Amino acid sequence: MTPLVFIDGDQGTTGLQVQQWLHGRTDLRLLQLPPGHRKSAAHRVEALNDCDVALLCLPDDAAREAVALVRRPGVRVIDASSAHRTSPGWVYGLPELHAGQAARIASATRVSNPGYYPSGALALLRPLVDSGLLPADYPLAIHAVSGYSGRGRAGLDDHEGAGAARAVPLQIYGLGLHHKHVPEIQQHAGLAHAPVFVPAYGHYRQGIVLTIALHLRLLTAGVTAERLHAALQARYTAQACIEVQALAEDADAQRLDPRALNGTNRLRLAVFGNARTGQVLLTAVFDNLGKGAAGAAVQNLDLMLGLSAAAPLEPAAA
């Protein structure tokens, strides 16, 4: 029988994007509540327990409540919130995290979608920690700028609503250094200490550029930009959704556009180095609503259902 999927929170930013990604699919069915039933607790509980997979596109507290409402053992859950990303019993939904992660997701009953910033940070850090090129206790600082859609409806209202002309072009936040993504990055990258994480929102709708600077003198002896690049390339050679850019001969001429992969489930990594100063810059570019949210959720959904589109690169045509 064709699997039945219920998107709880289908009118939010991520929920609407998931619907776009699933538009026209015939290998699954969407269970959708009529507008008059969306605020009905009884109808929502019924939908959560009638489906094969519940995909939660909700704020953290609401996601926890939704999980508690799932009582039928056969229902599998994908949570797109940050409520369960470090919780025991939940499989972390980044299929490329390591060699066995996609198989773990495929057999899981509870999957937590990764955060959009952590998706880029982990894609860069985990292979380097696993290979021993990056010490687990390295004093990391991660900088990232996302499009304003990363704030959800509040971001859309600020930048596309009546007061859009007064929108701030760049907002750096999380200055108390306890952003909710930090434990997620630390745990799943295998870091001994919490990294410094400096996030920001820019005056553009979607897309992320994330950077991590390294000093070669603090790494294992003999590590170079070339070796770091080779480790990333080796990890992702067979991964359809993650690409590693060739080492640049003229890095000063390069520019990173956070919007370059918008509308896709792709993530582009790059390594830039200065042999004279012994400095390296790791970079990731991807769509915060694609590989950072809806695209990743659909990728996990397909893995769990054993469907052929287990690595979607773009949403279905409308």
Side-chain angles (χ1 to χ4, degrees), residues 64-90:
R64 295 185 185 96
E65 293 170 3
V67 173
L69 295 174
V70 177
R71 302 187 181 97
R72 188 170 68 83
V75 176
R76 305 168 79 185
V77 178
I78 300 173
D79 181 10
S81 82
S82 62
H84 299 100
R85 291 175 184 158
T86 59
S87 298
W90 287 75

mmCIF file with all atom_site columns, all heavy atoms in Angstrom, residues 64-90:
data_model
loop_
_atom_site.group_PDB
_atom_site.id
_atom_site.type_symbol
_atom_site.label_atom_id
_atom_site.label_alt_id
_atom_site.label_comp_id
_atom_site.label_asym_id
_atom_site.label_entity_id
_atom_site.label_seq_id
_atom_site.pdbx_PDB_ins_code
_atom_site.Cartn_x
_atom_site.Cartn_y
_atom_site.Cartn_z
_atom_site.occupancy
_atom_site.B_iso_or_equiv
_atom_site.pdbx_formal_charge
_atom_site.auth_seq_id
_atom_site.auth_comp_id
_atom_site.auth_asym_id
_atom_site.auth_atom_id
_atom_site.pdbx_PDB_model_num
ATOM 1   N N   . ARG A 1 64 ? 7.456  18.349 20.818 1.00 0.00 ? 64 ARG A N   1
ATOM 2   C CA  . ARG A 1 64 ? 7.456  17.406 21.939 1.00 0.00 ? 64 ARG A CA  1
ATOM 3   C C   . ARG A 1 64 ? 6.039  16.938 22.264 1.00 0.00 ? 64 ARG A C   1
ATOM 4   O O   . ARG A 1 64 ? 5.796  15.753 22.542 1.00 0.00 ? 64 ARG A O   1
ATOM 5   C CB  . ARG A 1 64 ? 8.100  18.051 23.168 1.00 0.00 ? 64 ARG A CB  1
ATOM 6   C CG  . ARG A 1 64 ? 9.590  18.369 23.005 1.00 0.00 ? 64 ARG A CG  1
ATOM 7   C CD  . ARG A 1 64 ? 10.181 18.896 24.297 1.00 0.00 ? 64 ARG A CD  1
ATOM 8   N NE  . ARG A 1 64 ? 11.566 19.315 24.118 1.00 0.00 ? 64 ARG A NE  1
ATOM 9   C CZ  . ARG A 1 64 ? 11.943 20.569 23.878 1.00 0.00 ? 64 ARG A CZ  1
ATOM 10  N NH1 . ARG A 1 64 ? 11.022 21.539 23.812 1.00 0.00 ? 64 ARG A NH1 1
ATOM 11  N NH2 . ARG A 1 64 ? 13.213 20.875 23.707 1.00 0.00 ? 64 ARG A NH2 1
ATOM 12  N N   . GLU A 1 65 ? 5.100  17.872 22.239 1.00 0.00 ? 65 GLU A N   1
ATOM 13  C CA  . GLU A 1 65 ? 3.707  17.526 22.503 1.00 0.00 ? 65 GLU A CA  1
ATOM 14  C C   . GLU A 1 65 ? 3.166  16.580 21.434 1.00 0.00 ? 65 GLU A C   1
ATOM 15  O O   . GLU A 1 65 ? 2.433  15.627 21.737 1.00 0.00 ? 65 GLU A O   1
ATOM 16  C CB  . GLU A 1 65 ? 2.860  18.800 22.559 1.00 0.00 ? 65 GLU A CB  1
ATOM 17  C CG  . GLU A 1 65 ? 3.175  19.694 23.748 1.00 0.00 ? 65 GLU A CG  1
ATOM 18  C CD  . GLU A 1 65 ? 2.490  21.055 23.655 1.00 0.00 ? 65 GLU A CD  1
ATOM 19  O OE1 . GLU A 1 65 ? 1.722  21.261 22.680 1.00 0.00 ? 65 GLU A OE1 1
ATOM 20  O OE2 . GLU A 1 65 ? 2.716  21.891 24.541 1.00 0.00 ? 65 GLU A OE2 1
ATOM 21  N N   . ALA A 1 66 ? 3.528  16.828 20.178 1.00 0.00 ? 66 ALA A N   1
ATOM 22  C CA  . ALA A 1 66 ? 3.057  15.979 19.082 1.00 0.00 ? 66 ALA A CA  1
ATOM 23  C C   . ALA A 1 66 ? 3.578  14.555 19.234 1.00 0.00 ? 66 ALA A C   1
ATOM 24  O O   . ALA A 1 66 ? 2.841  13.584 19.014 1.00 0.00 ? 66 ALA A O   1
ATOM 25  C CB  . ALA A 1 66 ? 3.492  16.569 17.742 1.00 0.00 ? 66 ALA A CB  1
ATOM 26  N N   . VAL A 1 67 ? 4.848  14.418 19.595 1.00 0.00 ? 67 VAL A N   1
ATOM 27  C CA  . VAL A 1 67 ? 5.417  13.074 19.792 1.00 0.00 ? 67 VAL A CA  1
ATOM 28  C C   . VAL A 1 67 ? 4.664  12.331 20.886 1.00 0.00 ? 67 VAL A C   1
ATOM 29  O O   . VAL A 1 67 ? 4.386  11.131 20.768 1.00 0.00 ? 67 VAL A O   1
ATOM 30  C CB  . VAL A 1 67 ? 6.919  13.180 20.126 1.00 0.00 ? 67 VAL A CB  1
ATOM 31  C CG1 . VAL A 1 67 ? 7.481  11.813 20.510 1.00 0.00 ? 67 VAL A CG1 1
ATOM 32  C CG2 . VAL A 1 67 ? 7.696  13.742 18.937 1.00 0.00 ? 67 VAL A CG2 1
ATOM 33  N N   . ALA A 1 68 ? 4.296  13.034 21.936 1.00 0.00 ? 68 ALA A N   1
ATOM 34  C CA  . ALA A 1 68 ? 3.563  12.405 23.041 1.00 0.00 ? 68 ALA A CA  1
ATOM 35  C C   . ALA A 1 68 ? 2.173  11.962 22.602 1.00 0.00 ? 68 ALA A C   1
ATOM 36  O O   . ALA A 1 68 ? 1.591  11.041 23.217 1.00 0.00 ? 68 ALA A O   1
ATOM 37  C CB  . ALA A 1 68 ? 3.467  13.370 24.216 1.00 0.00 ? 68 ALA A CB  1
ATOM 38  N N   . LEU A 1 69 ? 1.629  12.580 21.564 1.00 0.00 ? 69 LEU A N   1
ATOM 39  C CA  . LEU A 1 69 ? 0.291  12.226 21.080 1.00 0.00 ? 69 LEU A CA  1
ATOM 40  C C   . LEU A 1 69 ? 0.306  11.004 20.166 1.00 0.00 ? 69 LEU A C   1
ATOM 41  O O   . LEU A 1 69 ? -0.747 10.445 19.860 1.00 0.00 ? 69 LEU A O   1
ATOM 42  C CB  . LEU A 1 69 ? -0.321 13.413 20.326 1.00 0.00 ? 69 LEU A CB  1
ATOM 43  C CG  . LEU A 1 69 ? -0.613 14.667 21.152 1.00 0.00 ? 69 LEU A CG  1
ATOM 44  C CD1 . LEU A 1 69 ? -1.076 15.807 20.245 1.00 0.00 ? 69 LEU A CD1 1
ATOM 45  C CD2 . LEU A 1 69 ? -1.655 14.378 22.226 1.00 0.00 ? 69 LEU A CD2 1
ATOM 46  N N   . VAL A 1 70 ? 1.480  10.607 19.691 1.00 0.00 ? 70 VAL A N   1
ATOM 47  C CA  . VAL A 1 70 ? 1.593  9.429  18.814 1.00 0.00 ? 70 VAL A CA  1
ATOM 48  C C   . VAL A 1 70 ? 1.549  8.184  19.680 1.00 0.00 ? 70 VAL A C   1
ATOM 49  O O   . VAL A 1 70 ? 2.480  7.895  20.440 1.00 0.00 ? 70 VAL A O   1
ATOM 50  C CB  . VAL A 1 70 ? 2.892  9.473  17.984 1.00 0.00 ? 70 VAL A CB  1
ATOM 51  C CG1 . VAL A 1 70 ? 3.024  8.206  17.144 1.00 0.00 ? 70 VAL A CG1 1
ATOM 52  C CG2 . VAL A 1 70 ? 2.912  10.700 17.081 1.00 0.00 ? 70 VAL A CG2 1
ATOM 53  N N   . ARG A 1 71 ? 0.481  7.434  19.574 1.00 0.00 ? 71 ARG A N   1
ATOM 54  C CA  . ARG A 1 71 ? 0.280  6.253  20.430 1.00 0.00 ? 71 ARG A CA  1
ATOM 55  C C   . ARG A 1 71 ? 0.319  4.947  19.650 1.00 0.00 ? 71 ARG A C   1
ATOM 56  O O   . ARG A 1 71 ? 0.529  3.891  20.233 1.00 0.00 ? 71 ARG A O   1
ATOM 57  C CB  . ARG A 1 71 ? -1.058 6.377  21.171 1.00 0.00 ? 71 ARG A CB  1
ATOM 58  C CG  . ARG A 1 71 ? -1.130 7.655  22.026 1.00 0.00 ? 71 ARG A CG  1
ATOM 59  C CD  . ARG A 1 71 ? -2.377 7.691  22.885 1.00 0.00 ? 71 ARG A CD  1
ATOM 60  N NE  . ARG A 1 71 ? -2.417 8.939  23.656 1.00 0.00 ? 71 ARG A NE  1
ATOM 61  C CZ  . ARG A 1 71 ? -3.092 10.010 23.301 1.00 0.00 ? 71 ARG A CZ  1
ATOM 62  N NH1 . ARG A 1 71 ? -3.788 10.003 22.166 1.00 0.00 ? 71 ARG A NH1 1
ATOM 63  N NH2 . ARG A 1 71 ? -3.091 11.100 24.051 1.00 0.00 ? 71 ARG A NH2 1
ATOM 64  N N   . ARG A 1 72 ? 0.092  4.999  18.339 1.00 0.00 ? 72 ARG A N   1
ATOM 65  C CA  . ARG A 1 72 ? 0.117  3.772  17.550 1.00 0.00 ? 72 ARG A CA  1
ATOM 66  C C   . ARG A 1 72 ? 1.559  3.379  17.260 1.00 0.00 ? 72 ARG A C   1
ATOM 67  O O   . ARG A 1 72 ? 2.317  4.168  16.683 1.00 0.00 ? 72 ARG A O   1
ATOM 68  C CB  . ARG A 1 72 ? -0.658 3.961  16.245 1.00 0.00 ? 72 ARG A CB  1
ATOM 69  C CG  . ARG A 1 72 ? -0.823 2.647  15.457 1.00 0.00 ? 72 ARG A CG  1
ATOM 70  C CD  . ARG A 1 72 ? -1.793 2.832  14.303 1.00 0.00 ? 72 ARG A CD  1
ATOM 71  N NE  . ARG A 1 72 ? -1.278 3.703  13.280 1.00 0.00 ? 72 ARG A NE  1
ATOM 72  C CZ  . ARG A 1 72 ? -0.455 3.308  12.296 1.00 0.00 ? 72 ARG A CZ  1
ATOM 73  N NH1 . ARG A 1 72 ? -0.028 2.047  12.254 1.00 0.00 ? 72 ARG A NH1 1
ATOM 74  N NH2 . ARG A 1 72 ? -0.050 4.162  11.393 1.00 0.00 ? 72 ARG A NH2 1
ATOM 75  N N   . PRO A 1 73 ? 1.999  2.170  17.642 1.00 0.00 ? 73 PRO A N   1
ATOM 76  C CA  . PRO A 1 73 ? 3.406  1.777  17.506 1.00 0.00 ? 73 PRO A CA  1
ATOM 77  C C   . PRO A 1 73 ? 3.949  1.853  16.085 1.00 0.00 ? 73 PRO A C   1
ATOM 78  O O   . PRO A 1 73 ? 5.138  2.076  15.881 1.00 0.00 ? 73 PRO A O   1
ATOM 79  C CB  . PRO A 1 73 ? 3.421  0.328  18.019 1.00 0.00 ? 73 PRO A CB  1
ATOM 80  C CG  . PRO A 1 73 ? 2.229  0.242  18.925 1.00 0.00 ? 73 PRO A CG  1
ATOM 81  C CD  . PRO A 1 73 ? 1.192  1.137  18.313 1.00 0.00 ? 73 PRO A CD  1
ATOM 82  N N   . GLY A 1 74 ? 3.109  1.689  15.094 1.00 0.00 ? 74 GLY A N   1
ATOM 83  C CA  . GLY A 1 74 ? 3.594  1.664  13.719 1.00 0.00 ? 74 GLY A CA  1
ATOM 84  C C   . GLY A 1 74 ? 3.920  3.014  13.124 1.00 0.00 ? 74 GLY A C   1
ATOM 85  O O   . GLY A 1 74 ? 4.510  3.090  12.038 1.00 0.00 ? 74 GLY A O   1
ATOM 86  N N   . VAL A 1 75 ? 3.573  4.095  13.819 1.00 0.00 ? 75 VAL A N   1
ATOM 87  C CA  . VAL A 1 75 ? 3.824  5.431  13.276 1.00 0.00 ? 75 VAL A CA  1
ATOM 88  C C   . VAL A 1 75 ? 5.295  5.799  13.472 1.00 0.00 ? 75 VAL A C   1
ATOM 89  O O   . VAL A 1 75 ? 5.828  5.744  14.580 1.00 0.00 ? 75 VAL A O   1
ATOM 90  C CB  . VAL A 1 75 ? 2.929  6.488  13.954 1.00 0.00 ? 75 VAL A CB  1
ATOM 91  C CG1 . VAL A 1 75 ? 3.276  7.887  13.435 1.00 0.00 ? 75 VAL A CG1 1
ATOM 92  C CG2 . VAL A 1 75 ? 1.460  6.180  13.714 1.00 0.00 ? 75 VAL A CG2 1
ATOM 93  N N   . ARG A 1 76 ? 5.944  6.206  12.393 1.00 0.00 ? 76 ARG A N   1
ATOM 94  C CA  . ARG A 1 76 ? 7.322  6.679  12.455 1.00 0.00 ? 76 ARG A CA  1
ATOM 95  C C   . ARG A 1 76 ? 7.324  8.202  12.387 1.00 0.00 ? 76 ARG A C   1
ATOM 96  O O   . ARG A 1 76 ? 6.420  8.792  11.784 1.00 0.00 ? 76 ARG A O   1
ATOM 97  C CB  . ARG A 1 76 ? 8.136  6.066  11.314 1.00 0.00 ? 76 ARG A CB  1
ATOM 98  C CG  . ARG A 1 76 ? 8.063  4.542  11.311 1.00 0.00 ? 76 ARG A CG  1
ATOM 99  C CD  . ARG A 1 76 ? 8.614  3.939  10.041 1.00 0.00 ? 76 ARG A CD  1
ATOM 100 N NE  . ARG A 1 76 ? 10.058 3.912  10.054 1.00 0.00 ? 76 ARG A NE  1
ATOM 101 C CZ  . ARG A 1 76 ? 10.802 3.514  9.013  1.00 0.00 ? 76 ARG A CZ  1
ATOM 102 N NH1 . ARG A 1 76 ? 10.220 3.145  7.884  1.00 0.00 ? 76 ARG A NH1 1
ATOM 103 N NH2 . ARG A 1 76 ? 12.110 3.495  9.096  1.00 0.00 ? 76 ARG A NH2 1
ATOM 104 N N   . VAL A 1 77 ? 8.306  8.830  13.014 1.00 0.00 ? 77 VAL A N   1
ATOM 105 C CA  . VAL A 1 77 ? 8.298  10.281 13.165 1.00 0.00 ? 77 VAL A CA  1
ATOM 106 C C   . VAL A 1 77 ? 9.607  10.883 12.659 1.00 0.00 ? 77 VAL A C   1
ATOM 107 O O   . VAL A 1 77 ? 10.695 10.385 12.961 1.00 0.00 ? 77 VAL A O   1
ATOM 108 C CB  . VAL A 1 77 ? 8.094  10.685 14.647 1.00 0.00 ? 77 VAL A CB  1
ATOM 109 C CG1 . VAL A 1 77 ? 8.148  12.206 14.800 1.00 0.00 ? 77 VAL A CG1 1
ATOM 110 C CG2 . VAL A 1 77 ? 6.770  10.137 15.177 1.00 0.00 ? 77 VAL A CG2 1
ATOM 111 N N   . ILE A 1 78 ? 9.478  11.966 11.885 1.00 0.00 ? 78 ILE A N   1
ATOM 112 C CA  . ILE A 1 78 ? 10.602 12.831 11.550 1.00 0.00 ? 78 ILE A CA  1
ATOM 113 C C   . ILE A 1 78 ? 10.315 14.188 12.180 1.00 0.00 ? 78 ILE A C   1
ATOM 114 O O   . ILE A 1 78 ? 9.281  14.801 11.899 1.00 0.00 ? 78 ILE A O   1
ATOM 115 C CB  . ILE A 1 78 ? 10.773 13.014 10.024 1.00 0.00 ? 78 ILE A CB  1
ATOM 116 C CG1 . ILE A 1 78 ? 11.016 11.668 9.345  1.00 0.00 ? 78 ILE A CG1 1
ATOM 117 C CG2 . ILE A 1 78 ? 11.921 13.976 9.716  1.00 0.00 ? 78 ILE A CG2 1
ATOM 118 C CD1 . ILE A 1 78 ? 11.015 11.752 7.819  1.00 0.00 ? 78 ILE A CD1 1
ATOM 119 N N   . ASP A 1 79 ? 11.189 14.640 13.047 1.00 0.00 ? 79 ASP A N   1
ATOM 120 C CA  . ASP A 1 79 ? 11.001 15.916 13.728 1.00 0.00 ? 79 ASP A CA  1
ATOM 121 C C   . ASP A 1 79 ? 11.947 16.946 13.130 1.00 0.00 ? 79 ASP A C   1
ATOM 122 O O   . ASP A 1 79 ? 13.165 16.814 13.239 1.00 0.00 ? 79 ASP A O   1
ATOM 123 C CB  . ASP A 1 79 ? 11.261 15.751 15.233 1.00 0.00 ? 79 ASP A CB  1
ATOM 124 C CG  . ASP A 1 79 ? 11.046 17.044 15.995 1.00 0.00 ? 79 ASP A CG  1
ATOM 125 O OD1 . ASP A 1 79 ? 10.517 18.012 15.402 1.00 0.00 ? 79 ASP A OD1 1
ATOM 126 O OD2 . ASP A 1 79 ? 11.414 17.096 17.179 1.00 0.00 ? 79 ASP A OD2 1
ATOM 127 N N   . ALA A 1 80 ? 11.377 17.984 12.502 1.00 0.00 ? 80 ALA A N   1
ATOM 128 C CA  . ALA A 1 80 ? 12.203 19.028 11.894 1.00 0.00 ? 80 ALA A CA  1
ATOM 129 C C   . ALA A 1 80 ? 12.579 20.129 12.876 1.00 0.00 ? 80 ALA A C   1
ATOM 130 O O   . ALA A 1 80 ? 13.319 21.049 12.517 1.00 0.00 ? 80 ALA A O   1
ATOM 131 C CB  . ALA A 1 80 ? 11.480 19.633 10.694 1.00 0.00 ? 80 ALA A CB  1
ATOM 132 N N   . SER A 1 81 ? 12.083 20.051 14.111 1.00 0.00 ? 81 SER A N   1
ATOM 133 C CA  . SER A 1 81 ? 12.458 21.042 15.127 1.00 0.00 ? 81 SER A CA  1
ATOM 134 C C   . SER A 1 81 ? 13.792 20.644 15.752 1.00 0.00 ? 81 SER A C   1
ATOM 135 O O   . SER A 1 81 ? 14.381 19.611 15.415 1.00 0.00 ? 81 SER A O   1
ATOM 136 C CB  . SER A 1 81 ? 11.380 21.128 16.213 1.00 0.00 ? 81 SER A CB  1
ATOM 137 O OG  . SER A 1 81 ? 11.535 20.104 17.177 1.00 0.00 ? 81 SER A OG  1
ATOM 138 N N   . SER A 1 82 ? 14.249 21.449 16.720 1.00 0.00 ? 82 SER A N   1
ATOM 139 C CA  . SER A 1 82 ? 15.505 21.124 17.410 1.00 0.00 ? 82 SER A CA  1
ATOM 140 C C   . SER A 1 82 ? 15.263 20.366 18.714 1.00 0.00 ? 82 SER A C   1
ATOM 141 O O   . SER A 1 82 ? 16.181 20.175 19.493 1.00 0.00 ? 82 SER A O   1
ATOM 142 C CB  . SER A 1 82 ? 16.297 22.407 17.699 1.00 0.00 ? 82 SER A CB  1
ATOM 143 O OG  . SER A 1 82 ? 15.563 23.257 18.568 1.00 0.00 ? 82 SER A OG  1
ATOM 144 N N   . ALA A 1 83 ? 14.022 19.912 18.934 1.00 0.00 ? 83 ALA A N   1
ATOM 145 C CA  . ALA A 1 83 ? 13.653 19.323 20.227 1.00 0.00 ? 83 ALA A CA  1
ATOM 146 C C   . ALA A 1 83 ? 14.389 18.029 20.545 1.00 0.00 ? 83 ALA A C   1
ATOM 147 O O   . ALA A 1 83 ? 14.641 17.727 21.709 1.00 0.00 ? 83 ALA A O   1
ATOM 148 C CB  . ALA A 1 83 ? 12.148 19.090 20.274 1.00 0.00 ? 83 ALA A CB  1
ATOM 149 N N   . HIS A 1 84 ? 14.740 17.248 19.523 1.00 0.00 ? 84 HIS A N   1
ATOM 150 C CA  . HIS A 1 84 ? 15.262 15.901 19.782 1.00 0.00 ? 84 HIS A CA  1
ATOM 151 C C   . HIS A 1 84 ? 16.612 15.624 19.126 1.00 0.00 ? 84 HIS A C   1
ATOM 152 O O   . HIS A 1 84 ? 17.013 14.470 18.984 1.00 0.00 ? 84 HIS A O   1
ATOM 153 C CB  . HIS A 1 84 ? 14.244 14.851 19.303 1.00 0.00 ? 84 HIS A CB  1
ATOM 154 C CG  . HIS A 1 84 ? 12.924 14.932 19.990 1.00 0.00 ? 84 HIS A CG  1
ATOM 155 N ND1 . HIS A 1 84 ? 11.811 15.539 19.430 1.00 0.00 ? 84 HIS A ND1 1
ATOM 156 C CD2 . HIS A 1 84 ? 12.535 14.489 21.217 1.00 0.00 ? 84 HIS A CD2 1
ATOM 157 C CE1 . HIS A 1 84 ? 10.795 15.460 20.262 1.00 0.00 ? 84 HIS A CE1 1
ATOM 158 N NE2 . HIS A 1 84 ? 11.196 14.842 21.347 1.00 0.00 ? 84 HIS A NE2 1
ATOM 159 N N   . ARG A 1 85 ? 17.344 16.656 18.758 1.00 0.00 ? 85 ARG A N   1
ATOM 160 C CA  . ARG A 1 85 ? 18.571 16.445 17.981 1.00 0.00 ? 85 ARG A CA  1
ATOM 161 C C   . ARG A 1 85 ? 19.721 15.854 18.782 1.00 0.00 ? 85 ARG A C   1
ATOM 162 O O   . ARG A 1 85 ? 20.684 15.347 18.208 1.00 0.00 ? 85 ARG A O   1
ATOM 163 C CB  . ARG A 1 85 ? 18.996 17.762 17.323 1.00 0.00 ? 85 ARG A CB  1
ATOM 164 C CG  . ARG A 1 85 ? 18.039 18.175 16.223 1.00 0.00 ? 85 ARG A CG  1
ATOM 165 C CD  . ARG A 1 85 ? 18.364 19.522 15.651 1.00 0.00 ? 85 ARG A CD  1
ATOM 166 N NE  . ARG A 1 85 ? 17.365 19.913 14.668 1.00 0.00 ? 85 ARG A NE  1
ATOM 167 C CZ  . ARG A 1 85 ? 17.126 21.162 14.300 1.00 0.00 ? 85 ARG A CZ  1
ATOM 168 N NH1 . ARG A 1 85 ? 17.843 22.157 14.835 1.00 0.00 ? 85 ARG A NH1 1
ATOM 169 N NH2 . ARG A 1 85 ? 16.195 21.428 13.404 1.00 0.00 ? 85 ARG A NH2 1
ATOM 170 N N   . THR A 1 86 ? 19.650 15.927 20.082 1.00 0.00 ? 86 THR A N   1
ATOM 171 C CA  . THR A 1 86 ? 20.679 15.290 20.919 1.00 0.00 ? 86 THR A CA  1
ATOM 172 C C   . THR A 1 86 ? 20.048 14.296 21.891 1.00 0.00 ? 86 THR A C   1
ATOM 173 O O   . THR A 1 86 ? 20.675 13.903 22.872 1.00 0.00 ? 86 THR A O   1
ATOM 174 C CB  . THR A 1 86 ? 21.475 16.347 21.708 1.00 0.00 ? 86 THR A CB  1
ATOM 175 O OG1 . THR A 1 86 ? 20.583 17.107 22.532 1.00 0.00 ? 86 THR A OG1 1
ATOM 176 C CG2 . THR A 1 86 ? 22.216 17.291 20.768 1.00 0.00 ? 86 THR A CG2 1
ATOM 177 N N   . SER A 1 87 ? 18.817 13.873 21.616 1.00 0.00 ? 87 SER A N   1
ATOM 178 C CA  . SER A 1 87 ? 18.077 13.009 22.542 1.00 0.00 ? 87 SER A CA  1
ATOM 179 C C   . SER A 1 87 ? 18.379 11.536 22.313 1.00 0.00 ? 87 SER A C   1
ATOM 180 O O   . SER A 1 87 ? 18.404 11.085 21.154 1.00 0.00 ? 87 SER A O   1
ATOM 181 C CB  . SER A 1 87 ? 16.568 13.236 22.393 1.00 0.00 ? 87 SER A CB  1
ATOM 182 O OG  . SER A 1 87 ? 16.211 14.553 22.717 1.00 0.00 ? 87 SER A OG  1
ATOM 183 N N   . PRO A 1 88 ? 18.576 10.759 23.367 1.00 0.00 ? 88 PRO A N   1
ATOM 184 C CA  . PRO A 1 88 ? 18.713 9.309  23.227 1.00 0.00 ? 88 PRO A CA  1
ATOM 185 C C   . PRO A 1 88 ? 17.442 8.732  22.599 1.00 0.00 ? 88 PRO A C   1
ATOM 186 O O   . PRO A 1 88 ? 16.337 9.196  22.867 1.00 0.00 ? 88 PRO A O   1
ATOM 187 C CB  . PRO A 1 88 ? 18.890 8.835  24.679 1.00 0.00 ? 88 PRO A CB  1
ATOM 188 C CG  . PRO A 1 88 ? 19.337 10.036 25.439 1.00 0.00 ? 88 PRO A CG  1
ATOM 189 C CD  . PRO A 1 88 ? 18.694 11.216 24.777 1.00 0.00 ? 88 PRO A CD  1
ATOM 190 N N   . GLY A 1 89 ? 17.623 7.706  21.786 1.00 0.00 ? 89 GLY A N   1
ATOM 191 C CA  . GLY A 1 89 ? 16.484 7.073  21.156 1.00 0.00 ? 89 GLY A CA  1
ATOM 192 C C   . GLY A 1 89 ? 16.091 7.687  19.826 1.00 0.00 ? 89 GLY A C   1
ATOM 193 O O   . GLY A 1 89 ? 15.240 7.139  19.124 1.00 0.00 ? 89 GLY A O   1
ATOM 194 N N   . TRP A 1 90 ? 16.691 8.817  19.488 1.00 0.00 ? 90 TRP A N   1
ATOM 195 C CA  . TRP A 1 90 ? 16.427 9.457  18.206 1.00 0.00 ? 90 TRP A CA  1
ATOM 196 C C   . TRP A 1 90 ? 17.658 9.339  17.311 1.00 0.00 ? 90 TRP A C   1
ATOM 197 O O   . TRP A 1 90 ? 18.781 9.523  17.773 1.00 0.00 ? 90 TRP A O   1
ATOM 198 C CB  . TRP A 1 90 ? 16.086 10.937 18.394 1.00 0.00 ? 90 TRP A CB  1
ATOM 199 C CG  . TRP A 1 90 ? 14.715 11.144 18.965 1.00 0.00 ? 90 TRP A CG  1
ATOM 200 C CD1 . TRP A 1 90 ? 14.330 10.950 20.254 1.00 0.00 ? 90 TRP A CD1 1
ATOM 201 C CD2 . TRP A 1 90 ? 13.549 11.565 18.254 1.00 0.00 ? 90 TRP A CD2 1
ATOM 202 N NE1 . TRP A 1 90 ? 12.998 11.228 20.399 1.00 0.00 ? 90 TRP A NE1 1
ATOM 203 C CE2 . TRP A 1 90 ? 12.487 11.618 19.188 1.00 0.00 ? 90 TRP A CE2 1
ATOM 204 C CE3 . TRP A 1 90 ? 13.302 11.930 16.929 1.00 0.00 ? 90 TRP A CE3 1
ATOM 205 C CZ2 . TRP A 1 90 ? 11.201 12.001 18.830 1.00 0.00 ? 90 TRP A CZ2 1
ATOM 206 C CZ3 . TRP A 1 90 ? 12.020 12.307 16.571 1.00 0.00 ? 90 TRP A CZ3 1
ATOM 207 C CH2 . TRP A 1 90 ? 10.981 12.335 17.512 1.00 0.00 ? 90 TRP A CH2 1
#
